[in-house]
Amino acid sequence: MSIKIFLPTNYFYLKRPCNLYGQLHISDDNVVVYYVVDVDNNKCNTESSNMRFLGAIRCSDSYADSNYCSAHDMMLCFTYNNESPNISLMFTGITPENLKQIKLILYDKQIVRSLVINGYNTLNHWTRESQINDECDFYMLARLVQPEPESGTFRKSEGLWFYGSQPLCLLANLPMQLFKHIVGNAFVNGIITHTVIFKHYKEWQTIYAAGSRLTNIMIDRALGILLMFLLFSLASHPGDFLIQISHIIISQLYSLLKVLEGSPIGLKLNIHLNNFFLDCFKYHIELWSTFLDLIEPIVRQVFLAIGAFGCLGFTYQIALLADLISIVGLHAHCFYVYTKVLNNVGVKGLTVLWQVVRGNRYNILRNRIEAHNYMNRQLYLATIFFSAILFLFPTTLVYYVVFATLKGLTFATLAILEFFRRKILNFPIEMFLKCVKKGFHEIDCLRVLDIPLQKQLFFNHRNSKILIFVYKLQV
């Protein structure tokens, strides 16, 4: 059994009477831990308002005995004199039966406040959430030394002058309030529920309400406004850009189908099935081209919408661009779905008919493949269908591989956009800047160093002297 006492370093050398405030914790293995967080010199102290009175530091001349400490409801009592350079432990309110050692751990409050644990800074995260491992002394200490949060969910004005100005804050939130009102409409909400822009709007609102990434939000809006001005000032006809991109995609698909019309990379495709696929896909592309011509005025205005979304933030522009890519590449996605269904039918047909040709069948009741006597006409039909599907399958497989690759490229582009969209909001920019300035410390970097003292400290417990080991937390 042991006792741990966490004490600020400057209090260890403090030689004046004062009261000690903090918390007491008893672990499952009966280790008594005292967390001394603050002192009170008969002055108003906000940090000690929610702390428990633990004891005091007294001059050895005024210290009486344990009865004196019990009468004043003390859990700890340190004394000092003119001869010793530091204070000494004289009394503990809760002492284990078999006390073996006492550890006095000195720490710097600023270092503990700057700890980064599991990607979160203790100052910005733990003051709002209590998801802390109570069995870890450092976790508990880091939570206790945090200053009292101000009224409200979080302090927006801390380190961000932008949120400290009420007019600027209202002006910055005006586009977002307008967009929130539009999204709240039942008709609009039903249309954009499954879009990336709506998904990003929900994520953005969650991050903004938490208040943990205000610096990211400011940078996001600044980049969005900057890009908006660049688009409107440098592009003379911005809507023509999207139209040109759409026609380029259509022409490239025509070129791809033309390559498949012959013998791509030396493959011998079935002529009749290949011509059927080409006619179907070309007709589909013509329909899509006609549809784009009809909605050309609307598409021209989409570019203006992308620029206007800069008022909300650069990430909103990325989200809208992702939705636009999904719409422009819709016909390629349809081609992928068609070829995937045909390929699955071919694979399933070959698998089933192969068992029939071999004279086997799948027994559903016993969940196994077993021999079966088929009639001659059944084997004849199975052989014909198996041969037909086998010779047609390479053509279907080539089309499936081509359009699956095209679908994969589109998916990779959307994944890259989503990666940047989320990183802009979730990347700990403020924490990174403070790490560069040595303002944050990883909890794994903490070191517990032994402090050599001029005179060994002892604690009298049941007529025996218990050694007091003094350590210091450093990074």
Side-chain angles (χ1 to χ4, degrees):
M1 303 300 177
S2 62
I3 294 177
K4 293 181 182 179
I5 302 175
F6 286 90
L7 183 71
T9 306
N10 55 330
Y11 300 161
F12 185 64
Y13 304 99
L14 189 65
K15 288 191 174 184
R16 65 172 182 268
C18 59
N19 296 326
L20 302 177
Y21 293 88
Q23 290 293 341
L24 170 66
H25 178 72
I26 302 177
S27 62
D28 295 336
D29 52 356
N30 293 329
V31 177
V32 182
V33 185
Y34 295 93
Y35 300 96
V36 179
V37 177
D38 198 22
V39 301
D40 185 7
N41 298 317
N42 297 325
K43 297 179 181 179
C44 180
N45 194 309
T46 57
E47 291 190 13
S48 61
S49 59
N50 294 330
M51 293 297 171
R52 176 180 179 179
F53 174 71
L54 293 181
I57 299 177
R58 293 287 182 262
C59 179
S60 58
D61 298 334
S62 61
Y63 174 76
D65 51 16
S66 60
N67 295 329
Y68 171 82
C69 298
S70 301
H72 290 79
D73 195 22
M74 291 187 184
M75 306 299 295
L76 287 175
C77 185
F78 293 92
T79 60
Y80 65 89
N81 52 47
N82 295 328
E83 297 178 358
S84 177
N86 48 260
I87 60 177
S88 301
L89 179 64
M90 299 301 296
F91 175 78
T92 58
I94 300 178
T95 306
E97 292 292 334
N98 300 320
L99 183 60
K100 297 180 180 179
Q101 61 180 351
I102 296 178
K103 298 178 181 179
L104 181 60
I105 305 174
L106 307 180
Y107 68 92
D108 186 356
K109 295 175 69 173
Q110 188 59 38
I111 291 178
V112 178
R113 284 178 177 177
S114 301
L115 286 180
V116 178
I117 302 176
N118 295 332
Y120 292 98
N121 169 241
T122 56
L123 180 60
N124 296 332
H125 181 67
W126 289 359
T127 53
R128 299 188 304 274
E129 300 182 8
S130 300
Q131 300 175 354
I132 303 173
N133 186 1
D134 292 341
E135 296 301 323
C136 180
D137 300 331
F138 297 146
Y139 284 16
M140 290 287 292
L141 180 64
R143 180 178 61 178
L144 294 174
V145 298
Q146 300 308 319
E148 289 288 333
E150 295 179 0
S151 59
T153 55
F154 59 89
R155 294 177 291 181
K156 291 185 178 181
S157 61
E158 181 179 354
L160 296 175
W161 61 270
F162 186 84
Y163 288 100
S165 176
Q166 191 69 18
L168 290 178
C169 184
L170 293 176
L171 181 62
N173 290 330
L174 183 60
M176 180 55 63
Q177 294 298 327
L178 180 61
F179 181 73
K180 184 178 180 181
H181 178 72
I182 296 175
V183 173
N185 184 272
F187 176 75
V188 177
N189 188 275
I191 296 176
I192 68 172
T193 300
H194 302 288
T195 59
V196 180
I197 192 70
F198 184 78
K199 177 183 177 182
H200 175 69
Y201 166 72
K202 291 296 185 181
E203 295 177 359
W204 193 93
Q205 287 290 339
T206 303
I207 294 174
Y208 181 77
S212 57
R213 294 290 185 263
L214 295 181
T215 305
N216 300 54
I217 292 176
M218 289 183 60
I219 295 177
D220 178 33
R221 287 184 173 176
L223 291 176
I225 294 174
L226 178 61
L227 181 60
M228 178 180 64
F229 283 124
L230 289 177
L231 292 177
F232 290 154
S233 61
L234 299 181
S236 57
H237 299 285
D240 295 339
F241 179 74
L242 295 179
I243 299 298
Q244 294 174 0
I245 292 295
S246 301
H247 287 294
I248 289 174
I249 293 176
I250 291 175
S251 63
Q252 291 297 324
L253 284 176
Y254 272 121
S255 301
L256 179 62
L257 293 179
K258 188 175 182 180
V259 172
L260 295 174
E261 187 175 358
S263 298
I265 61 174
L267 295 175
K268 184 65 175 178
L269 303 181
N270 185 275
I271 297 176
H272 302 286
L273 182 61
N274 192 18
N275 292 334
F276 172 75
F277 282 161
L278 291 175
D279 292 339
C280 291
F281 291 153
K282 286 181 179 179
Y283 180 71
H284 198 294
I285 294 176
E286 290 177 0
L287 286 178
W288 184 252
S289 179
T290 305
F291 176 71
L292 287 180
D293 292 338
L294 291 176
I295 65 171
E296 182 175 336
I298 301 177
V299 174
R300 292 181 183 275
Q301 303 303 322
V302 172
F303 194 92
L304 300 177
I306 293 178
F309 266 62
C311 298
L312 302 178
F314 180 59
T315 52
Y316 279 91
Q317 294 173 316
I318 295 178
L320 187 59
L321 179 61
D323 286 328
L324 185 61
I325 292 176
S326 300
I327 294 174
V328 172
L330 181 61
H331 48 299
H333 176 72
C334 293
F335 294 164
Y336 165 74
V337 174
Y338 300 156
T339 55
K340 181 181 178 180
V341 171
L342 291 175
N343 182 74
N344 291 339
V345 170
V347 172
K348 186 66 176 178
L350 289 176
T351 303
V352 174
L353 292 175
W354 174 245
Q355 299 297 335
V356 178
V357 171
R358 293 174 59 204
N360 296 329
R361 73 170 182 177
Y362 178 72
N363 192 326
I364 301 177
L365 298 178
R366 297 185 179 182
N367 192 22
R368 69 180 185 182
I369 297 176
E370 56 187 23
H372 181 70
N373 293 324
Y374 291 97
M375 291 184 292
N376 291 334
R377 61 175 179 270
Q378 291 177 326
L379 292 174
Y380 179 73
L381 291 176
T383 304
I384 292 177
F385 283 116
F386 177 77
S387 301
I389 296 176
L390 180 62
F391 287 112
L392 294 178
F393 181 71
T395 304
T396 306
L397 180 62
V398 168
Y399 274 86
Y400 173 69
V401 170
V402 170
F403 288 108
T405 304
L406 185 61
K407 172 64 177 179
L409 294 176
T410 306
F411 180 79
T413 303
L414 296 178
I416 292 173
L417 292 177
E418 183 176 4
F419 173 79
F420 282 107
R421 175 178 63 84
R422 290 187 172 180
K423 278 299 179 182
I424 290 176
L425 288 183
N426 295 318
F427 186 76
I429 298 177
E430 185 178 358
M431 186 183 302
F432 175 76
L433 294 177
K434 289 189 176 182
C435 284
V436 172
K437 297 187 299 184
K438 305 299 180 181
F440 279 174
H441 308 284
E442 292 284 348
I443 192 172
D444 295 336
C445 297
L446 285 180
R447 295 181 298 169
V448 181
L449 303 180
D450 188 9
I451 297 180
L453 299 176
Q454 298 178 359
K455 183 180 179 181
Q456 179 64 49
L457 297 180
F458 295 96
F459 177 72
N460 294 322
H461 175 63
R462 295 185 177 180
N463 299 324
S464 62
K465 289 186 177 182
I466 307 298
L467 287 176
I468 299 178
F469 300 95
V470 182
Y471 305 95
K472 185 176 182 180
L473 288 181
Q474 286 187 351
V475 292

